[in-house]
Amino acid sequence: MRNTYKFTKLYSGGIPQFIEGDIFKTIIPLNNAATMRLGPISSDQVSDQVSDQVSDQVSDQVSDQVGQNDVVNKILEYCKVARTKKEIAEHIGYKNLTYMTRKFLKPLLEKNKLLYTIPKKPQSRLQKYITKQ
């Protein structure tokens, strides 16, 4: 609450309202400078903003899918020789091993495109991954 008062006053010069009830409400007054808007917004502008946002989302999803295919191919090519999870992550440029495992390795293992070198111990610290021939 302290920060809400502080920053509302700083950015818009107003005072926030906190309304307790069945639903707790906070009303933060904003001026045009705080919302980066220089006047009233028309329905056409709203439509354009929504359209741009949807377009950006779709293009991001498509590029993610195309990028994902590139990463998958890169992993499969790299793992023609048995590699550790850490080596794979470094090769494709990921730092988060958990995310990389969930996003790429598990699906490849489930599709039998990638195999464990120690299949009876998938959680082994010595585990490596190799592309299925």
Side-chain angles (χ1 to χ4, degrees), residues 32-115:
N32 289 341
T35 59
M36 302 284 288
R37 200 166 33 132
L38 299 174
I41 189 165
S42 71
S43 61
D44 290 340
Q45 289 172 315
V46 171
S47 175
D48 289 346
Q49 287 176 350
V50 170
S51 175
D52 290 345
Q53 183 179 0
V54 169
S55 174
D56 289 347
Q57 262 182 324
V58 169
S59 83
D60 286 349
Q61 289 173 353
V62 169
S63 64
D64 283 351
Q65 289 171 357
V66 171
Q68 187 173 346
N69 288 337
D70 291 342
V71 172
V72 166
N73 292 334
K74 203 171 178 182
I75 291 171
L76 292 173
E77 185 66 31
Y78 185 66
C79 289
K80 287 185 177 179
V81 175
R83 308 287 183 166
T84 65
K85 192 183 294 188
K86 188 175 180 182
E87 290 172 329
I88 297 168
E90 287 173 1
H91 180 72
I92 62 172
Y94 280 79
K95 292 181 181 176
N96 187 330
L97 292 179
T98 305
Y99 175 78
M100 192 250 336
T101 301
R102 189 174 358 102
K103 183 85 172 168
F104 300 108
L105 294 185
K106 285 209 186 278
L108 288 171
L109 289 163
E110 289 168 359
K111 293 176 186 172
N112 287 326
K113 291 184 176 184
L114 206 59
L115 303 171

Side-chain angles (χ1 to χ4, degrees), residues 1-16 28-30 34:
M1 284 180 63
R2 222 177 289 160
N3 280 339
T4 304
Y5 275 109
K6 175 182 170 184
F7 290 110
T8 301
K9 210 166 204 135
L10 180 69
Y11 287 110
S12 70
I15 297 173
I28 300 174
L30 298 174

